[in-house]
Amino acid sequence: MEMLELKDIASLLCISQKHLIKIIQETSGNHPCHFYVNKILTCTKDLLINSTLTISTIAQTLTYDPSNFTKFFKKYEGITPSEFRQLKKAKSSP
């Protein structure tokens, strides 16, 4: 699982980071960070449901600072990663 930064993506496309941001905003209506956040959340949810990794390990795997990861997740999902994991496990239990 590799998370590329905008500058890396722009470099792969042989364009400037500024130009990449402009193109993404014009075509999608969203800043590239919107997609980055969504990708982190999607990967986090998958790892919370399908692995036994700790929250801290998941944060590090996704190149996110573990000390702020729970706040980040709760900001977008409304619950902590631990609460999300417990809810999903409770729903999947018979």
Side-chain angles (χ1 to χ4, degrees), residues 18-32 35:
K18 192 173 185 176
H19 186 62
L20 177 61
I21 292 169
K22 182 181 175 192
I23 290 169
I24 292 171
Q25 284 181 312
E26 286 176 356
T27 57
S28 72
N30 292 305
H31 191 277
F35 301 102

Side-chain angles (χ1 to χ4, degrees), residues 4-51:
L4 297 175
E5 293 184 25
L6 280 175
K7 65 180 180 166
D8 300 324
I9 296 168
S11 178
L12 288 170
L13 296 170
C14 300
I15 60 175
S16 72
Q17 182 176 337
K18 192 173 185 176
H19 186 62
L20 177 61
I21 292 169
K22 182 181 175 192
I23 290 169
I24 292 171
Q25 284 181 312
E26 286 176 356
T27 57
S28 72
N30 292 305
H31 191 277
C33 290
H34 168 80
F35 301 102
Y36 187 74
V37 165
N38 284 341
K39 181 67 172 174
I40 290 175
L41 292 172
T42 300
C43 291
T44 299
K45 291 175 193 176
D46 180 57
L47 290 169
L48 288 169
I49 294 167
N50 298 310
S51 79

